[in-house]
Amino acid sequence: MLKPAYPLHTDRLLLRPFTPDDLPAVHAYESRPDVARYLYWEPRDIDAVRTFLDKKVTRTALHDEGDALDLAITLRDTGQVIGNGLLIWTSKEHRQGEIGYVLHPDHHGHGYAAEAGRTLLRLGFDELGLHRVVGRLDGRNTASARVLEKLGMRREAHLVQNERVKGEWTDEIIYAILETEWKP
């Protein structure tokens, strides 16, 4: 089980549970076509964002496999919500997890995704005791691939046209890192 002591601090960020008050900030990025482009969902209207935010608000601890932490990524100096980070406990028996992140495009290119990703990996390895963590992405999402590489994750698989997403066949790339390879 893992229930972090919030907020989680990095040099420039705070990661914390979402609150209902985060609705405008989350809508600001989840409603954008450029954000949803490589994700499974279409841009979300305010009602859809509210529905998914209601779920995110509850995802603050990992009690068993299948649970997820869904954390607001905020700028440490202003508290502004700029995205979300995700840690999923995918297998208790095999000590496996998965990370993910979504950032508002205004905050791309500043290293925030990797900074948040390092915190998610630290939680997975150091606090939950995972053996292996993966990151999965649409094969066209080269920016996300670079983030996972910055985190020290290795590209393990390129699954060609393995999923039909938004009416088209897409490739999936899988990155992974082992507990023994993790360097905080």
PDB file of all heavy atoms in Angstrom, residues 21-53:
ATOM      1  N   ASP A  21     -11.802  22.326  -7.181  1.00  0.00           N
ATOM      2  CA  ASP A  21     -11.432  23.682  -7.596  1.00  0.00           C
ATOM      3  C   ASP A  21     -10.476  23.703  -8.787  1.00  0.00           C
ATOM      4  O   ASP A  21     -10.256  24.758  -9.387  1.00  0.00           O
ATOM      5  CB  ASP A  21     -10.794  24.445  -6.437  1.00  0.00           C
ATOM      6  CG  ASP A  21     -11.782  24.722  -5.313  1.00  0.00           C
ATOM      7  OD1 ASP A  21     -13.004  24.722  -5.575  1.00  0.00           O
ATOM      8  OD2 ASP A  21     -11.317  24.935  -4.175  1.00  0.00           O
ATOM      9  N   ASP A  22      -9.905  22.548  -9.133  1.00  0.00           N
ATOM     10  CA  ASP A  22      -8.973  22.470 -10.262  1.00  0.00           C
ATOM     11  C   ASP A  22      -9.689  22.391 -11.612  1.00  0.00           C
ATOM     12  O   ASP A  22      -9.033  22.341 -12.654  1.00  0.00           O
ATOM     13  CB  ASP A  22      -8.042  21.253 -10.107  1.00  0.00           C
ATOM     14  CG  ASP A  22      -7.136  21.371  -8.903  1.00  0.00           C
ATOM     15  OD1 ASP A  22      -6.692  22.498  -8.594  1.00  0.00           O
ATOM     16  OD2 ASP A  22      -6.860  20.327  -8.267  1.00  0.00           O
ATOM     17  N   LEU A  23     -11.007  22.388 -11.608  1.00  0.00           N
ATOM     18  CA  LEU A  23     -11.773  22.217 -12.842  1.00  0.00           C
ATOM     19  C   LEU A  23     -11.349  23.178 -13.957  1.00  0.00           C
ATOM     20  O   LEU A  23     -11.068  22.729 -15.079  1.00  0.00           O
ATOM     21  CB  LEU A  23     -13.273  22.324 -12.564  1.00  0.00           C
ATOM     22  CG  LEU A  23     -14.190  22.156 -13.777  1.00  0.00           C
ATOM     23  CD1 LEU A  23     -14.049  20.759 -14.381  1.00  0.00           C
ATOM     24  CD2 LEU A  23     -15.642  22.419 -13.379  1.00  0.00           C
ATOM     25  N   PRO A  24     -11.264  24.494 -13.738  1.00  0.00           N
ATOM     26  CA  PRO A  24     -10.884  25.383 -14.853  1.00  0.00           C
ATOM     27  C   PRO A  24      -9.498  25.068 -15.419  1.00  0.00           C
ATOM     28  O   PRO A  24      -9.307  25.075 -16.638  1.00  0.00           O
ATOM     29  CB  PRO A  24     -10.923  26.783 -14.234  1.00  0.00           C
ATOM     30  CG  PRO A  24     -11.803  26.662 -13.037  1.00  0.00           C
ATOM     31  CD  PRO A  24     -11.605  25.259 -12.532  1.00  0.00           C
ATOM     32  N   ALA A  25      -8.545  24.771 -14.552  1.00  0.00           N
ATOM     33  CA  ALA A  25      -7.182  24.482 -15.014  1.00  0.00           C
ATOM     34  C   ALA A  25      -7.126  23.182 -15.808  1.00  0.00           C
ATOM     35  O   ALA A  25      -6.451  23.103 -16.845  1.00  0.00           O
ATOM     36  CB  ALA A  25      -6.225  24.422 -13.826  1.00  0.00           C
ATOM     37  N   VAL A  26      -7.819  22.150 -15.336  1.00  0.00           N
ATOM     38  CA  VAL A  26      -7.825  20.865 -16.043  1.00  0.00           C
ATOM     39  C   VAL A  26      -8.555  21.015 -17.378  1.00  0.00           C
ATOM     40  O   VAL A  26      -8.092  20.516 -18.411  1.00  0.00           O
ATOM     41  CB  VAL A  26      -8.434  19.756 -15.165  1.00  0.00           C
ATOM     42  CG1 VAL A  26      -8.532  18.447 -15.943  1.00  0.00           C
ATOM     43  CG2 VAL A  26      -7.611  19.561 -13.899  1.00  0.00           C
ATOM     44  N   HIS A  27      -9.667  21.731 -17.379  1.00  0.00           N
ATOM     45  CA  HIS A  27     -10.389  21.963 -18.627  1.00  0.00           C
ATOM     46  C   HIS A  27      -9.513  22.716 -19.630  1.00  0.00           C
ATOM     47  O   HIS A  27      -9.585  22.457 -20.844  1.00  0.00           O
ATOM     48  CB  HIS A  27     -11.690  22.728 -18.364  1.00  0.00           C
ATOM     49  CG  HIS A  27     -12.488  22.971 -19.590  1.00  0.00           C
ATOM     50  ND1 HIS A  27     -12.557  24.196 -20.198  1.00  0.00           N
ATOM     51  CD2 HIS A  27     -13.222  22.126 -20.361  1.00  0.00           C
ATOM     52  CE1 HIS A  27     -13.307  24.111 -21.276  1.00  0.00           C
ATOM     53  NE2 HIS A  27     -13.726  22.857 -21.406  1.00  0.00           N
ATOM     54  N   ALA A  28      -8.670  23.612 -19.142  1.00  0.00           N
ATOM     55  CA  ALA A  28      -7.818  24.406 -20.033  1.00  0.00           C
ATOM     56  C   ALA A  28      -6.905  23.533 -20.883  1.00  0.00           C
ATOM     57  O   ALA A  28      -6.564  23.909 -22.012  1.00  0.00           O
ATOM     58  CB  ALA A  28      -6.987  25.404 -19.225  1.00  0.00           C
ATOM     59  N   TYR A  29      -6.490  22.370 -20.378  1.00  0.00           N
ATOM     60  CA  TYR A  29      -5.661  21.501 -21.229  1.00  0.00           C
ATOM     61  C   TYR A  29      -6.408  20.291 -21.771  1.00  0.00           C
ATOM     62  O   TYR A  29      -6.178  19.885 -22.905  1.00  0.00           O
ATOM     63  CB  TYR A  29      -4.332  21.112 -20.557  1.00  0.00           C
ATOM     64  CG  TYR A  29      -4.394  20.306 -19.291  1.00  0.00           C
ATOM     65  CD1 TYR A  29      -4.456  18.919 -19.315  1.00  0.00           C
ATOM     66  CD2 TYR A  29      -4.337  20.925 -18.049  1.00  0.00           C
ATOM     67  CE1 TYR A  29      -4.474  18.184 -18.146  1.00  0.00           C
ATOM     68  CE2 TYR A  29      -4.354  20.197 -16.872  1.00  0.00           C
ATOM     69  CZ  TYR A  29      -4.421  18.822 -16.924  1.00  0.00           C
ATOM     70  OH  TYR A  29      -4.434  18.096 -15.764  1.00  0.00           O
ATOM     71  N   GLU A  30      -7.338  19.705 -21.022  1.00  0.00           N
ATOM     72  CA  GLU A  30      -8.038  18.517 -21.521  1.00  0.00           C
ATOM     73  C   GLU A  30      -9.013  18.843 -22.653  1.00  0.00           C
ATOM     74  O   GLU A  30      -9.438  17.944 -23.368  1.00  0.00           O
ATOM     75  CB  GLU A  30      -8.764  17.799 -20.385  1.00  0.00           C
ATOM     76  CG  GLU A  30      -7.818  17.066 -19.459  1.00  0.00           C
ATOM     77  CD  GLU A  30      -8.508  16.086 -18.543  1.00  0.00           C
ATOM     78  OE1 GLU A  30      -9.758  15.999 -18.549  1.00  0.00           O
ATOM     79  OE2 GLU A  30      -7.792  15.387 -17.801  1.00  0.00           O
ATOM     80  N   SER A  31      -9.355  20.095 -22.840  1.00  0.00           N
ATOM     81  CA  SER A  31     -10.274  20.491 -23.915  1.00  0.00           C
ATOM     82  C   SER A  31      -9.541  20.733 -25.238  1.00  0.00           C
ATOM     83  O   SER A  31     -10.179  20.932 -26.269  1.00  0.00           O
ATOM     84  CB  SER A  31     -11.010  21.774 -23.511  1.00  0.00           C
ATOM     85  OG  SER A  31     -10.092  22.841 -23.350  1.00  0.00           O
ATOM     86  N   ARG A  32      -8.232  20.666 -25.221  1.00  0.00           N
ATOM     87  CA  ARG A  32      -7.439  21.025 -26.405  1.00  0.00           C
ATOM     88  C   ARG A  32      -7.200  19.823 -27.326  1.00  0.00           C
ATOM     89  O   ARG A  32      -6.726  18.773 -26.867  1.00  0.00           O
ATOM     90  CB  ARG A  32      -6.099  21.604 -25.967  1.00  0.00           C
ATOM     91  CG  ARG A  32      -6.231  22.923 -25.222  1.00  0.00           C
ATOM     92  CD  ARG A  32      -4.892  23.386 -24.745  1.00  0.00           C
ATOM     93  NE  ARG A  32      -3.975  23.553 -25.862  1.00  0.00           N
ATOM     94  CZ  ARG A  32      -3.282  24.655 -26.109  1.00  0.00           C
ATOM     95  NH1 ARG A  32      -3.398  25.704 -25.317  1.00  0.00           N
ATOM     96  NH2 ARG A  32      -2.451  24.710 -27.128  1.00  0.00           N
ATOM     97  N   PRO A  33      -7.451  19.971 -28.622  1.00  0.00           N
ATOM     98  CA  PRO A  33      -7.182  18.886 -29.572  1.00  0.00           C
ATOM     99  C   PRO A  33      -5.708  18.476 -29.598  1.00  0.00           C
ATOM    100  O   PRO A  33      -5.402  17.295 -29.756  1.00  0.00           O
ATOM    101  CB  PRO A  33      -7.612  19.469 -30.923  1.00  0.00           C
ATOM    102  CG  PRO A  33      -8.600  20.534 -30.582  1.00  0.00           C
ATOM    103  CD  PRO A  33      -8.158  21.100 -29.258  1.00  0.00           C
ATOM    104  N   ASP A  34      -4.786  19.436 -29.428  1.00  0.00           N
ATOM    105  CA  ASP A  34      -3.365  19.084 -29.462  1.00  0.00           C
ATOM    106  C   ASP A  34      -2.958  18.265 -28.237  1.00  0.00           C
ATOM    107  O   ASP A  34      -2.005  17.491 -28.302  1.00  0.00           O
ATOM    108  CB  ASP A  34      -2.471  20.319 -29.624  1.00  0.00           C
ATOM    109  CG  ASP A  34      -2.709  21.403 -28.584  1.00  0.00           C
ATOM    110  OD1 ASP A  34      -3.762  21.408 -27.917  1.00  0.00           O
ATOM    111  OD2 ASP A  34      -1.837  22.288 -28.453  1.00  0.00           O
ATOM    112  N   VAL A  35      -3.666  18.381 -27.135  1.00  0.00           N
ATOM    113  CA  VAL A  35      -3.385  17.564 -25.953  1.00  0.00           C
ATOM    114  C   VAL A  35      -3.959  16.156 -26.149  1.00  0.00           C
ATOM    115  O   VAL A  35      -3.312  15.161 -25.841  1.00  0.00           O
ATOM    116  CB  VAL A  35      -3.953  18.228 -24.678  1.00  0.00           C
ATOM    117  CG1 VAL A  35      -3.906  17.274 -23.484  1.00  0.00           C
ATOM    118  CG2 VAL A  35      -3.181  19.504 -24.372  1.00  0.00           C
ATOM    119  N   ALA A  36      -5.169  16.059 -26.660  1.00  0.00           N
ATOM    120  CA  ALA A  36      -5.831  14.758 -26.818  1.00  0.00           C
ATOM    121  C   ALA A  36      -5.329  13.967 -28.028  1.00  0.00           C
ATOM    122  O   ALA A  36      -5.639  12.785 -28.152  1.00  0.00           O
ATOM    123  CB  ALA A  36      -7.337  14.967 -26.933  1.00  0.00           C
ATOM    124  N   ARG A  37      -4.546  14.586 -28.871  1.00  0.00           N
ATOM    125  CA  ARG A  37      -4.150  13.967 -30.141  1.00  0.00           C
ATOM    126  C   ARG A  37      -3.629  12.539 -29.991  1.00  0.00           C
ATOM    127  O   ARG A  37      -4.024  11.656 -30.736  1.00  0.00           O
ATOM    128  CB  ARG A  37      -3.088  14.835 -30.824  1.00  0.00           C
ATOM    129  CG  ARG A  37      -2.627  14.245 -32.134  1.00  0.00           C
ATOM    130  CD  ARG A  37      -1.656  15.145 -32.842  1.00  0.00           C
ATOM    131  NE  ARG A  37      -1.274  14.522 -34.103  1.00  0.00           N
ATOM    132  CZ  ARG A  37      -0.183  14.810 -34.757  1.00  0.00           C
ATOM    133  NH1 ARG A  37       0.633  15.737 -34.299  1.00  0.00           N
ATOM    134  NH2 ARG A  37       0.095  14.197 -35.878  1.00  0.00           N
ATOM    135  N   TYR A  38      -2.735  12.300 -29.065  1.00  0.00           N
ATOM    136  CA  TYR A  38      -2.118  10.973 -28.925  1.00  0.00           C
ATOM    137  C   TYR A  38      -2.686  10.174 -27.753  1.00  0.00           C
ATOM    138  O   TYR A  38      -2.110   9.170 -27.348  1.00  0.00           O
ATOM    139  CB  TYR A  38      -0.609  11.104 -28.756  1.00  0.00           C
ATOM    140  CG  TYR A  38       0.074  11.760 -29.928  1.00  0.00           C
ATOM    141  CD1 TYR A  38       0.897  12.862 -29.743  1.00  0.00           C
ATOM    142  CD2 TYR A  38      -0.094  11.282 -31.225  1.00  0.00           C
ATOM    143  CE1 TYR A  38       1.539  13.466 -30.822  1.00  0.00           C
ATOM    144  CE2 TYR A  38       0.532  11.881 -32.307  1.00  0.00           C
ATOM    145  CZ  TYR A  38       1.349  12.976 -32.090  1.00  0.00           C
ATOM    146  OH  TYR A  38       1.980  13.564 -33.146  1.00  0.00           O
ATOM    147  N   LEU A  39      -3.801  10.609 -27.212  1.00  0.00           N
ATOM    148  CA  LEU A  39      -4.421   9.929 -26.091  1.00  0.00           C
ATOM    149  C   LEU A  39      -5.666   9.188 -26.559  1.00  0.00           C
ATOM    150  O   LEU A  39      -6.126   9.378 -27.679  1.00  0.00           O
ATOM    151  CB  LEU A  39      -4.748  10.945 -24.994  1.00  0.00           C
ATOM    152  CG  LEU A  39      -3.510  11.695 -24.470  1.00  0.00           C
ATOM    153  CD1 LEU A  39      -3.914  12.818 -23.531  1.00  0.00           C
ATOM    154  CD2 LEU A  39      -2.549  10.738 -23.789  1.00  0.00           C
ATOM    155  N   TYR A  40      -6.237   8.367 -25.693  1.00  0.00           N
ATOM    156  CA  TYR A  40      -7.390   7.553 -26.071  1.00  0.00           C
ATOM    157  C   TYR A  40      -8.684   8.351 -26.139  1.00  0.00           C
ATOM    158  O   TYR A  40      -9.665   7.881 -26.684  1.00  0.00           O
ATOM    159  CB  TYR A  40      -7.566   6.388 -25.084  1.00  0.00           C
ATOM    160  CG  TYR A  40      -6.494   5.341 -25.219  1.00  0.00           C
ATOM    161  CD1 TYR A  40      -5.506   5.219 -24.253  1.00  0.00           C
ATOM    162  CD2 TYR A  40      -6.463   4.484 -26.306  1.00  0.00           C
ATOM    163  CE1 TYR A  40      -4.516   4.262 -24.369  1.00  0.00           C
ATOM    164  CE2 TYR A  40      -5.487   3.522 -26.437  1.00  0.00           C
ATOM    165  CZ  TYR A  40      -4.507   3.424 -25.464  1.00  0.00           C
ATOM    166  OH  TYR A  40      -3.527   2.471 -25.587  1.00  0.00           O
ATOM    167  N   TRP A  41      -8.686   9.545 -25.575  1.00  0.00           N
ATOM    168  CA  TRP A  41      -9.919  10.318 -25.514  1.00  0.00           C
ATOM    169  C   TRP A  41      -9.850  11.537 -26.432  1.00  0.00           C
ATOM    170  O   TRP A  41      -8.778  12.024 -26.769  1.00  0.00           O
ATOM    171  CB  TRP A  41     -10.247  10.735 -24.085  1.00  0.00           C
ATOM    172  CG  TRP A  41      -9.083  11.136 -23.221  1.00  0.00           C
ATOM    173  CD1 TRP A  41      -8.344  10.323 -22.408  1.00  0.00           C
ATOM    174  CD2 TRP A  41      -8.518  12.452 -23.075  1.00  0.00           C
ATOM    175  NE1 TRP A  41      -7.369  11.052 -21.772  1.00  0.00           N
ATOM    176  CE2 TRP A  41      -7.451  12.360 -22.157  1.00  0.00           C
ATOM    177  CE3 TRP A  41      -8.818  13.698 -23.622  1.00  0.00           C
ATOM    178  CZ2 TRP A  41      -6.690  13.460 -21.771  1.00  0.00           C
ATOM    179  CZ3 TRP A  41      -8.047  14.794 -23.245  1.00  0.00           C
ATOM    180  CH2 TRP A  41      -6.999  14.664 -22.323  1.00  0.00           C
ATOM    181  N   GLU A  42     -11.037  11.993 -26.797  1.00  0.00           N
ATOM    182  CA  GLU A  42     -11.180  13.212 -27.591  1.00  0.00           C
ATOM    183  C   GLU A  42     -11.102  14.414 -26.656  1.00  0.00           C
ATOM    184  O   GLU A  42     -11.224  14.260 -25.436  1.00  0.00           O
ATOM    185  CB  GLU A  42     -12.545  13.209 -28.310  1.00  0.00           C
ATOM    186  CG  GLU A  42     -12.711  12.105 -29.337  1.00  0.00           C
ATOM    187  CD  GLU A  42     -11.873  12.295 -30.595  1.00  0.00           C
ATOM    188  OE1 GLU A  42     -11.312  13.391 -30.795  1.00  0.00           O
ATOM    189  OE2 GLU A  42     -11.773  11.327 -31.367  1.00  0.00           O
ATOM    190  N   PRO A  43     -10.918  15.624 -27.186  1.00  0.00           N
ATOM    191  CA  PRO A  43     -10.964  16.804 -26.326  1.00  0.00           C
ATOM    192  C   PRO A  43     -12.271  16.795 -25.521  1.00  0.00           C
ATOM    193  O   PRO A  43     -13.335  16.445 -26.046  1.00  0.00           O
ATOM    194  CB  PRO A  43     -10.933  17.975 -27.314  1.00  0.00           C
ATOM    195  CG  PRO A  43     -10.254  17.413 -28.520  1.00  0.00           C
ATOM    196  CD  PRO A  43     -10.678  15.971 -28.595  1.00  0.00           C
ATOM    197  N   ARG A  44     -12.167  17.177 -24.258  1.00  0.00           N
ATOM    198  CA  ARG A  44     -13.306  17.066 -23.344  1.00  0.00           C
ATOM    199  C   ARG A  44     -13.961  18.427 -23.103  1.00  0.00           C
ATOM    200  O   ARG A  44     -13.267  19.422 -22.876  1.00  0.00           O
ATOM    201  CB  ARG A  44     -12.838  16.495 -22.012  1.00  0.00           C
ATOM    202  CG  ARG A  44     -12.355  15.061 -22.150  1.00  0.00           C
ATOM    203  CD  ARG A  44     -11.816  14.511 -20.850  1.00  0.00           C
ATOM    204  NE  ARG A  44     -11.547  13.086 -20.984  1.00  0.00           N
ATOM    205  CZ  ARG A  44     -10.659  12.425 -20.248  1.00  0.00           C
ATOM    206  NH1 ARG A  44      -9.970  13.047 -19.310  1.00  0.00           N
ATOM    207  NH2 ARG A  44     -10.478  11.144 -20.439  1.00  0.00           N
ATOM    208  N   ASP A  45     -15.292  18.414 -23.126  1.00  0.00           N
ATOM    209  CA  ASP A  45     -16.010  19.625 -22.741  1.00  0.00           C
ATOM    210  C   ASP A  45     -16.012  19.710 -21.215  1.00  0.00           C
ATOM    211  O   ASP A  45     -15.561  18.798 -20.518  1.00  0.00           O
ATOM    212  CB  ASP A  45     -17.415  19.653 -23.336  1.00  0.00           C
ATOM    213  CG  ASP A  45     -18.333  18.552 -22.816  1.00  0.00           C
ATOM    214  OD1 ASP A  45     -18.071  17.970 -21.733  1.00  0.00           O
ATOM    215  OD2 ASP A  45     -19.330  18.267 -23.495  1.00  0.00           O
ATOM    216  N   ILE A  46     -16.531  20.796 -20.687  1.00  0.00           N
ATOM    217  CA  ILE A  46     -16.463  21.047 -19.245  1.00  0.00           C
ATOM    218  C   ILE A  46     -17.163  19.956 -18.439  1.00  0.00           C
ATOM    219  O   ILE A  46     -16.680  19.562 -17.373  1.00  0.00           O
ATOM    220  CB  ILE A  46     -17.007  22.460 -18.893  1.00  0.00           C
ATOM    221  CG1 ILE A  46     -16.635  22.853 -17.461  1.00  0.00           C
ATOM    222  CG2 ILE A  46     -18.497  22.552 -19.131  1.00  0.00           C
ATOM    223  CD1 ILE A  46     -15.208  23.259 -17.295  1.00  0.00           C
ATOM    224  N   ASP A  47     -18.257  19.417 -18.953  1.00  0.00           N
ATOM    225  CA  ASP A  47     -18.969  18.362 -18.218  1.00  0.00           C
ATOM    226  C   ASP A  47     -18.152  17.070 -18.169  1.00  0.00           C
ATOM    227  O   ASP A  47     -18.112  16.400 -17.133  1.00  0.00           O
ATOM    228  CB  ASP A  47     -20.343  18.107 -18.832  1.00  0.00           C
ATOM    229  CG  ASP A  47     -21.292  19.281 -18.631  1.00  0.00           C
ATOM    230  OD1 ASP A  47     -21.177  19.977 -17.592  1.00  0.00           O
ATOM    231  OD2 ASP A  47     -22.138  19.516 -19.512  1.00  0.00           O
ATOM    232  N   ALA A  48     -17.503  16.726 -19.276  1.00  0.00           N
ATOM    233  CA  ALA A  48     -16.658  15.526 -19.296  1.00  0.00           C
ATOM    234  C   ALA A  48     -15.455  15.711 -18.371  1.00  0.00           C
ATOM    235  O   ALA A  48     -15.069  14.790 -17.646  1.00  0.00           O
ATOM    236  CB  ALA A  48     -16.206  15.216 -20.715  1.00  0.00           C
ATOM    237  N   VAL A  49     -14.854  16.894 -18.400  1.00  0.00           N
ATOM    238  CA  VAL A  49     -13.718  17.166 -17.509  1.00  0.00           C
ATOM    239  C   VAL A  49     -14.167  17.024 -16.056  1.00  0.00           C
ATOM    240  O   VAL A  49     -13.472  16.421 -15.232  1.00  0.00           O
ATOM    241  CB  VAL A  49     -13.103  18.553 -17.777  1.00  0.00           C
ATOM    242  CG1 VAL A  49     -12.050  18.893 -16.723  1.00  0.00           C
ATOM    243  CG2 VAL A  49     -12.485  18.603 -19.170  1.00  0.00           C
ATOM    244  N   ARG A  50     -15.325  17.569 -15.724  1.00  0.00           N
ATOM    245  CA  ARG A  50     -15.849  17.473 -14.351  1.00  0.00           C
ATOM    246  C   ARG A  50     -16.016  16.004 -13.951  1.00  0.00           C
ATOM    247  O   ARG A  50     -15.639  15.604 -12.840  1.00  0.00           O
ATOM    248  CB  ARG A  50     -17.180  18.202 -14.233  1.00  0.00           C
ATOM    249  CG  ARG A  50     -17.725  18.230 -12.810  1.00  0.00           C
ATOM    250  CD  ARG A  50     -19.046  18.996 -12.688  1.00  0.00           C
ATOM    251  NE  ARG A  50     -18.842  20.419 -12.922  1.00  0.00           N
ATOM    252  CZ  ARG A  50     -19.254  21.083 -14.023  1.00  0.00           C
ATOM    253  NH1 ARG A  50     -19.913  20.441 -14.973  1.00  0.00           N
ATOM    254  NH2 ARG A  50     -19.027  22.365 -14.152  1.00  0.00           N
ATOM    255  N   THR A  51     -16.564  15.182 -14.834  1.00  0.00           N
ATOM    256  CA  THR A  51     -16.755  13.757 -14.544  1.00  0.00           C
ATOM    257  C   THR A  51     -15.421  13.068 -14.267  1.00  0.00           C
ATOM    258  O   THR A  51     -15.290  12.323 -13.284  1.00  0.00           O
ATOM    259  CB  THR A  51     -17.482  13.066 -15.723  1.00  0.00           C
ATOM    260  OG1 THR A  51     -18.764  13.657 -15.870  1.00  0.00           O
ATOM    261  CG2 THR A  51     -17.613  11.573 -15.500  1.00  0.00           C
ATOM    262  N   PHE A  52     -14.437  13.316 -15.122  1.00  0.00           N
ATOM    263  CA  PHE A  52     -13.135  12.674 -14.922  1.00  0.00           C
ATOM    264  C   PHE A  52     -12.396  13.270 -13.728  1.00  0.00           C
ATOM    265  O   PHE A  52     -11.678  12.560 -13.018  1.00  0.00           O
ATOM    266  CB  PHE A  52     -12.301  12.738 -16.202  1.00  0.00           C
ATOM    267  CG  PHE A  52     -12.751  11.738 -17.215  1.00  0.00           C
ATOM    268  CD1 PHE A  52     -13.617  12.094 -18.233  1.00  0.00           C
ATOM    269  CD2 PHE A  52     -12.332  10.421 -17.146  1.00  0.00           C
ATOM    270  CE1 PHE A  52     -14.056  11.159 -19.161  1.00  0.00           C
ATOM    271  CE2 PHE A  52     -12.763   9.474 -18.065  1.00  0.00           C
ATOM    272  CZ  PHE A  52     -13.631   9.851 -19.078  1.00  0.00           C
ATOM    273  N   LEU A  53     -12.573  14.561 -13.472  1.00  0.00           N
ATOM    274  CA  LEU A  53     -11.947  15.179 -12.303  1.00  0.00           C
ATOM    275  C   LEU A  53     -12.516  14.585 -11.017  1.00  0.00           C
ATOM    276  O   LEU A  53     -11.767  14.346 -10.055  1.00  0.00           O
ATOM    277  CB  LEU A  53     -12.128  16.697 -12.334  1.00  0.00           C
ATOM    278  CG  LEU A  53     -11.493  17.471 -11.184  1.00  0.00           C
ATOM    279  CD1 LEU A  53      -9.982  17.236 -11.127  1.00  0.00           C
ATOM    280  CD2 LEU A  53     -11.791  18.957 -11.326  1.00  0.00           C
TER     281      LEU A  53
END
